[in-house]
């Protein structure tokens, strides 16, 4: 197993390199780069000089390489050339990409074009919010859906199975952002009760609270956003667990185990569980990454949480390429590591699986 894990870890390097190559190449064809943004603001009398003062240094990312900009026709060519040099766009794309990869190998992700902070510090600052949403939502979905799916499989066709299926489908049919708005209106001071806060992960006096108080305050703040980002995952996981257990329950080895006098609990959790849970575990990376990336932007915006999803979106709109590539690198790395953890979970659930022998 150690050799397999080592191979997977080494495979992360070319995979990340391929992701960065594809996205860097795409960036070269995207109109309206950071210099276009600055020139447009200047044409509209926007004050952007304070914003770009922190973006000095050699920014080795994609974007414009031409000196002819639509928004800069009335500006001196020397000023535009200085902007190109400041952002590193006076170099060929290949040289910019190689410089970026070399810097990434040294864990130097550059500095944001429009903020006086390094990309690494910026990502680390926003990471706790996204990890909170992704991790708690995934864990809660699994801890609720798996027992519920097993019970639905055991009581297939009963009234319990019918009404729980109806409730799950209704929850799945409601979009996550619409459910989040409903929670805000009902419980966060929208129109009815103000039971939960609407901003941040902690209160302003968090540092003065006791340990128990800090835990309660943290859970109080994340309750609504985690619930909103989890609701849609219940249906898929619960029905997947139910169907997987139903398929296994009908197999011959289950009938044999029952014939030997084993209790239903031993049959379910001693024999069926390992085989049925493999397909459920295989969905863990997709669920975690989906909540971590896809759902985080809307949830973070509605609940005023400053996480990676919101950071990546704002950076893409502003063409802040160092931040775009920094968040892309972080997302890709987390996704690849979660995939390895999933394989290890396979072995934990069913020790008969030997990835190393297959390799």
């Amino acid at each position: 197993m150690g050799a397999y894990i080592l191979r997977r870890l080494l495979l992360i390097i070319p995979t990340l390199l391929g992701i960065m190559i594809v996205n860097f190449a795409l960036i070269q064809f995207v109109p309206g780069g950071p210099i276009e943004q600055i020139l447009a603001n200047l044409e509209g009398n926007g004050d952007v000089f304070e914003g770009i003062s922190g973006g000095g240094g050699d920014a080795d990312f994609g974007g414009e390489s031409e000196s002819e900009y639509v928004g800069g026709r009335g500006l001196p060519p020397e000023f535009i050339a200085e902007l190109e040099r400041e952002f590193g766009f006076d170099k060929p794309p290949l040289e910019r990409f190689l410089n970026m990869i070399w810097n990434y190998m040294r864990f130097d992700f550059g500095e944001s074009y429009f903020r006086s902070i390094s990309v690494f510090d910026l990502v680390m600052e926003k990471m706790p919010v996204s990890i909170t949403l992704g991790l708690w939502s995934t864990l809660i979905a699994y801890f609720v859906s798996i027992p519920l799916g097993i019970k639905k499989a055991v009581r297939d066709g009963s009234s319990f199975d019918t009404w729980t299926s109806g409730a799950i489908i209704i929850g799945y049919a409601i979009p996550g952002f619409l459910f989040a708005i409903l929670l805000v209106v009902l419980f966060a001071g929208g129109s009815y009760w103000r039971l939960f806060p609407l901003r941040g992960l902690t209160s302003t006096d968090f540092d003065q609270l006791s340990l128990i108080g800090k835990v309660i305050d943290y859970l109080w703040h994340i309750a609504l956003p985690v619930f909103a980002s989890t609701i849609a995952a219940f249906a898929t996981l619960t029905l997947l667990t139910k169907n997987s257990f139903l398929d296994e329950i009908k197999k011959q080895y289950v009938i044999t185990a029952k014939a030997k006098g084993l209790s239903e609990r031993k049959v379910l959790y001693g024999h069926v569980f390992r085989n049925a849970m493999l397909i459920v575990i295989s969905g863990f990376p997709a669920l975690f990454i989906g909540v971590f990336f896809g759902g985080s932007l809307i949830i973070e915006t509605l609940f005023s949480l400053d996480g990676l999803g919101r950071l990546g979106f704002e950076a893409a709109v502003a063409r802040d390429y160092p931040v775009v590539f920094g968040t892309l690198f972080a997302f890709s790395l987390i996704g690849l590591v979660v995939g390895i953890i999933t394989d290890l979970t396979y072995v934990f659930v069913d020790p008969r699986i030997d990835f190393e022998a297959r390799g």
Side-chain angles (χ1 to χ4, degrees):
M1 191 62 184
Y4 172 77
I5 295 175
L6 180 60
R7 288 197 301 270
R8 288 294 302 271
L9 290 175
L10 293 176
L11 188 61
I12 289 178
I13 298 174
T15 304
L16 282 175
L17 182 61
I19 292 173
M20 301 307 292
I21 289 174
V22 171
N23 286 274
F24 186 89
L26 291 175
I27 285 294
Q28 307 307 310
F29 303 100
V30 175
I35 296 182
E36 285 278 11
Q37 297 285 330
I38 292 174
L39 296 180
N41 287 336
L42 289 175
E43 291 288 322
N45 298 323
D47 183 10
V48 297
F49 291 103
E50 291 183 3
I52 66 174
S53 61
D58 194 12
D60 312 310
F61 297 92
E64 302 99 329
S65 58
E66 301 289 336
S67 59
E68 295 292 332
Y69 295 95
V70 175
R73 291 174 179 170
L75 296 171
E78 296 81 8
F79 174 74
I80 297 177
E82 177 63 22
L83 283 179
E84 288 181 337
R85 187 197 64 78
E86 186 78 10
F87 287 108
F89 296 145
D90 57 332
K91 301 174 183 177
L94 179 59
E95 183 179 351
R96 295 201 301 270
F97 177 76
L98 293 177
N99 287 337
M100 181 185 73
I101 296 300
W102 171 245
N103 290 333
Y104 274 29
M105 291 173 60
R106 297 178 297 158
F107 299 100
D108 179 10
F109 301 103
E111 187 172 298
S112 170
Y113 286 159
F114 306 110
R115 310 187 192 193
S116 299
I117 185 174
S118 70
V119 174
F120 181 82
D121 292 338
L122 196 58
V123 170
M124 289 298 102
E125 178 185 323
K126 313 299 182 184
M127 185 75 78
V129 172
S130 296
I131 289 180
T132 292
L133 289 178
L135 186 60
W136 280 111
S137 299
T138 305
L139 290 178
I140 291 174
Y142 268 81
F143 283 138
V144 173
S145 297
I146 290 176
L148 181 59
I150 294 174
K151 190 169 184 179
K152 285 173 63 64
V154 173
R155 302 177 62 178
D156 183 41
S158 65
S159 57
F160 171 81
D161 181 39
T162 302
W163 73 261
T164 53
S165 294
I168 289 171
I169 292 174
I170 292 174
Y172 182 74
I174 301 175
F177 73 91
L178 188 60
F179 189 73
I181 293 174
L182 179 63
L183 292 177
V184 171
V185 171
L186 291 178
F187 304 112
S191 299
Y192 295 90
W193 305 281
R194 190 178 184 86
L195 303 178
F196 295 92
L198 192 57
R199 182 178 298 274
L201 290 179
T202 57
S203 301
T204 54
D205 60 343
F206 182 79
D207 294 334
Q208 282 73 45
L209 298 175
S210 64
L211 179 60
I212 301 298
K214 289 181 178 180
V215 173
I216 295 175
D217 183 74
Y218 172 73
L219 296 176
W220 182 45
H221 279 76
I222 69 171
L224 292 187
V226 167
F227 189 31
S229 59
T230 307
I231 190 67
F234 283 129
T236 304
L237 267 179
T238 303
L239 297 180
L240 181 63
T241 303
K242 174 191 172 182
N243 294 332
S244 180
F245 266 78
L246 283 177
D247 290 340
E248 293 296 325
I249 288 173
K250 297 176 182 177
K251 292 183 178 179
Q252 184 62 43
Y253 75 90
V254 177
I255 299 175
T256 303
K258 289 181 178 179
K260 289 181 177 180
L262 293 178
S263 65
E264 184 179 36
R265 184 177 183 84
K266 283 190 175 181
V267 172
L268 283 176
Y269 293 97
H271 297 275
V272 177
F273 185 83
R274 287 184 176 180
N275 297 324
M277 285 306 297
L278 292 178
I279 189 172
V280 178
I281 291 173
S282 66
F284 179 84
L287 176 61
F288 177 77
I289 300 302
V291 175
F292 190 80
F293 302 155
S296 61
L297 171 60
I298 298 176
I299 300 300
E300 287 171 11
T301 301
L302 288 174
F303 290 97
S304 301
L305 299 174
D306 201 4
L308 285 179
R310 191 172 177 183
L311 172 66
F313 174 75
E314 292 175 350
V317 171
R319 302 299 193 270
D320 195 346
Y321 292 139
V323 178
V324 171
F325 282 107
T327 53
L328 174 66
F329 184 85
F331 287 167
S332 302
L333 182 60
I334 291 173
L336 293 171
V337 171
V338 168
I340 297 176
I341 295 175
T342 301
D343 289 346
L344 296 178
T345 310
Y346 278 139
V347 179
F348 175 76
V349 173
D350 191 349
R352 296 172 298 175
I353 296 177
D354 189 353
F355 289 107
E356 195 165 338
R358 293 183 180 184

